[in-house]
Amino acid sequence: MDSRIQIYVDASCDEVHQCAGVGIVFAGSDGARYMDVSRPIGYCRIEQAEAKAIMAAMIVARDLHIAEYTLHCDSQSTVARIGDTTDVVDSEFGYLCLAIRREVARAGATIHWFSREHNADADELAWAAANGWSHFGSPWRERIQQHERSPHTG
């Protein structure tokens, strides 16, 4: 069994309000949830939003000094593009994938694709963020919760 921290990420795009959000769940190998993150990221295409969700999770992991972790993403195309070392960097998405590849190597992380049905919690957080709600919380220390409404939901 993998004893590393498990990080689940997802992104959501709200076409009507032109907003995207990321959802991130940090859990132990036993499934215990340590922390949730939900943040709007402005509007972008879904592939960029998925890559930004992965990068955001890696930044939080680095800031928390998490040495090794396994990151799970339900976007097959994004995970494949990150793993493609022959990829030509020709767009913002390509640059994000290159930066993620470098951070994976630095952090000793691994990224895996897994089915959307197993990513409901991160999906829900991403949807909430795309619709104007933010959240950052961790049950192992004083809970920091902040719910902000964006102008389009208020």
Side-chain angles (χ1 to χ4, degrees):
M1 177 151 89
D2 190 354
S3 62
R4 300 174 350 146
I5 295 292
Q6 307 299 304
I7 305 174
Y8 302 89
V9 302
D10 204 2
S12 179
C13 292
D14 181 340
E15 297 289 333
V16 174
H17 297 108
Q18 298 279 302
C19 186
V22 300
I24 306 166
V25 175
F26 288 78
S29 58
D30 60 356
R33 279 171 78 159
Y34 296 139
M35 181 171 46
D36 299 337
V37 178
S38 178
R39 287 282 187 250
I41 57 171
Y43 187 70
C44 56
R45 293 185 338 213
I46 190 62
E47 67 178 9
Q48 286 179 288
E50 294 281 358
K52 288 179 178 187
I54 292 169
M55 184 56 83
M58 297 176 90
I59 290 168
V60 172
R62 184 180 60 212
D63 289 351
L64 294 174
H65 306 288
I66 298 172
E68 293 184 344
Y69 51 89
T70 301
L71 200 141
H72 305 275
C73 177
D74 63 18
S75 172
Q76 254 183 322
S77 61
T78 301
V79 172
R81 182 100 185 246
I82 290 166
D84 183 2
T85 57
T86 63
D87 191 23
V88 175
V89 179
D90 59 352
S91 63
E92 181 182 352
F93 178 62
Y95 283 106
L96 280 168
C97 290
L98 178 61
I100 291 167
R101 258 195 310 275
R102 289 178 178 158
E103 183 64 15
V104 164
R106 187 207 63 77
T110 56
I111 298 178
H112 296 283
W113 171 82
F114 77 133
S115 67
R116 182 161 282 128
E117 299 82 47
H118 295 46
N119 204 23
D121 292 339
D123 178 65
E124 184 177 308
L125 290 166
W127 181 88
N131 285 280
W133 291 90
S134 293
H135 168 80
F136 182 91
S138 56
W140 72 81
R141 53 186 155 176
E142 183 177 338
R143 199 158 182 90
I144 303 167
Q145 277 192 341
Q146 181 176 345
H147 295 287
E148 303 167 343
R149 294 193 109 179
S150 69
H152 71 266
T153 62

